[in-house]
Amino acid sequence: MEKAGKEQIAEWKAMYGDVYLISVDGKEAYLKQPSRKIIGYASVAGKNNPIKFNEVILNDCWLGGDEEIKTNDTLFLSVSSQLAELIQIKEAELVKL
């Protein structure tokens, strides 16, 4: 796949918010953040098979890129270590009133 141009990235940002690029061995994948629903589904799917969690997140967040990242075990496992970064957790504060 060709690299996504500025126009394509701007279009994705308008549709999905933040867009991320993961690259490994010259291959690239463009991803969006997962929804709460997908994180829940991935968590259930990953209970008995931890790799399934990463498969669900990668497939749902996929915007474009080299399909080989999804099918080549070495590339998939390499990007898997970065997928948790897509799940952004902000610090919350609890105050007793």
Side-chain angles (χ1 to χ4, degrees):
M1 174 189 170
E2 294 180 23
K3 290 186 179 210
K6 290 180 183 179
E7 288 180 14
Q8 178 64 68
I9 292 171
E11 185 178 315
W12 285 333
K13 284 183 176 183
M15 292 173 66
Y16 306 110
D18 294 332
V19 174
Y20 300 89
L21 170 67
I22 294 181
S23 58
V24 58
D25 281 351
K27 308 289 184 193
E28 296 183 335
Y30 297 91
L31 307 170
K32 64 179 178 78
Q33 283 185 293
S35 67
R36 177 173 44 181
K37 181 178 177 181
I38 290 301
I39 293 169
Y41 174 72
S43 296
V44 170
K47 271 189 179 173
N48 295 325
N49 181 355
I51 290 177
K52 191 69 176 169
F53 177 89
N54 291 328
E55 287 176 350
V56 170
I57 295 295
L58 183 64
N59 286 324
D60 180 71
C61 296
W62 189 269
L63 298 175
D66 294 293
E67 292 287 328
E68 191 177 349
I69 289 174
K70 294 184 195 178
T71 60
N72 178 297
D73 289 345
T74 302
L75 298 177
F76 172 78
L77 292 172
S78 297
V79 301
S80 289
S81 66
Q82 298 296 313
L83 293 177
E85 297 297 317
L86 291 174
I87 303 168
Q88 296 182 0
I89 300 172
K90 297 184 179 192
E91 191 171 326
E93 181 179 347
L94 174 65
V95 177
K96 183 176 179 181
L97 303 177

